[in-house]
């Protein structure tokens, strides 16, 4: 029986030959650089043009001139991200086949379903347990219970998921049973 010889390879060779020359990679890099340049431009303009302008009602606060431009940029990027996430999810559901369930002996489908269930469950739990006590912001009391719970939900969910991910990494590095 002929024995296969494994050539020594590096990730640079794989990256240089297969990815860098593809049309998708060039398009992806162009889009990335365009978004980074636009965001950087908006942030630099925000902090350099009219940033020290005093707020009309209280001179102790700043009212930067380009706040609306910064917010619109963030809304636009968030909206584009949500559209791309929805499009990718729909595309994945349409082109799904049974061979995608286990990839390289890793139960990809179980991991994806478990991660989604953990996210939804943690968001529901942290929303239910979030505080509704009013907070004072810029001298004004904010007491809307829905938005207080929503803000608390996002903060608490992020903290919870970071702790869970850290715990899983530590367990895997310690060599605990990988069938968890």
């Amino acid at each position: 029986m002929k024995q296969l010889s494994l050539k020594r390879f590096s990730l640079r060779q794989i990256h240089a030959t297969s990815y860098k020359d593809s049309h998708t990679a060039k398009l992806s890099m162009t889009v990335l650089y365009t978004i980074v340049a636009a965001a950087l431009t908006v942030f630099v303009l925000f902090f350099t043009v009219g940033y020290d302008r005093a707020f009309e009602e209280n001179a102790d606060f700043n009212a930067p001139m380009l706040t609306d431009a910064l917010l619109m940029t963030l809304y636009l990027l968030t909206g584009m991200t949500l559209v791309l996430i929805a499009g990718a999810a729909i595309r994945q559901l349409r082109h799904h086949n049974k061979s995608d369930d286990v990839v390289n002996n890793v139960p990809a489908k179980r991991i994806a379903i478990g991660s989604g269930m953990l996210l939804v469950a943690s968001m529901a739990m942290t929303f239910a347990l979030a505080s509704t006590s009013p907070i004072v912001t810029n001298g004004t009391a904010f007491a809307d219970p829905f938005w207080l719970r929503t803000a608390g939900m996002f903060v608490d969910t992020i903290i919870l998921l970071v702790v869970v991910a850290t715990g899983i990494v530590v367990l895997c590095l310690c060599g605990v049973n990988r069938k968890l």
Side-chain angles (χ1 to χ4, degrees):
M1 178 171 224
K2 185 177 178 185
Q3 187 173 3
L4 296 174
S5 66
L6 296 175
K7 288 184 179 179
R8 185 170 175 86
F9 68 95
S10 69
L11 292 177
R12 284 186 188 158
Q13 291 172 340
I14 292 172
H15 178 72
T17 57
S18 62
Y19 181 72
K20 194 174 183 180
D21 298 327
S22 72
H23 175 69
T24 306
K26 290 178 183 176
L27 177 64
S28 175
M29 293 301 284
T30 302
V31 169
L32 173 68
Y33 290 147
T34 303
I35 290 173
V36 168
L40 187 62
T41 302
V42 169
F43 275 99
V44 166
L45 287 174
F46 175 77
F47 285 111
T48 57
V49 177
Y51 181 76
D52 295 329
R53 193 175 73 166
F55 186 56
E56 292 175 5
E57 295 179 18
N58 187 349
D60 293 337
F61 297 112
N62 283 351
M65 186 184 310
L66 297 176
T67 302
D68 292 335
L70 179 67
L71 288 174
M72 293 310 290
T73 301
L74 295 176
Y75 292 151
L76 179 68
L77 289 175
T78 303
M80 287 173 31
T81 302
L82 293 175
V83 167
L84 288 173
I85 289 171
I90 291 169
R91 183 177 183 275
Q92 179 66 26
L93 290 173
R94 283 189 180 171
H95 298 292
H96 176 76
N97 57 27
K98 283 298 233 184
S99 66
D100 294 337
D101 291 352
V102 177
V103 179
N104 293 332
N105 210 19
V106 175
K109 184 177 180 180
R110 275 183 48 201
I111 291 172
I113 290 172
S115 299
M117 288 174 43
L118 176 66
L119 175 66
V120 170
S122 64
M123 288 180 81
M125 180 184 69
T126 55
F127 183 82
L129 297 175
S131 173
T132 58
S133 58
I135 59 172
V136 177
T137 305
N138 291 336
T140 305
F142 185 76
D144 187 353
F146 175 76
W147 289 113
L148 288 168
R149 282 186 185 264
T150 302
M153 173 192 68
F154 285 121
V155 171
D156 295 342
T157 298
I158 289 169
I159 292 170
L160 178 67
L161 293 179
V162 166
V163 168
V164 167
T166 304
I168 290 173
V169 167
V170 168
L171 285 175
C172 289
L173 289 176
C174 291
V176 176
N177 187 359
R178 297 188 74 174
K179 297 283 184 184
L180 293 177

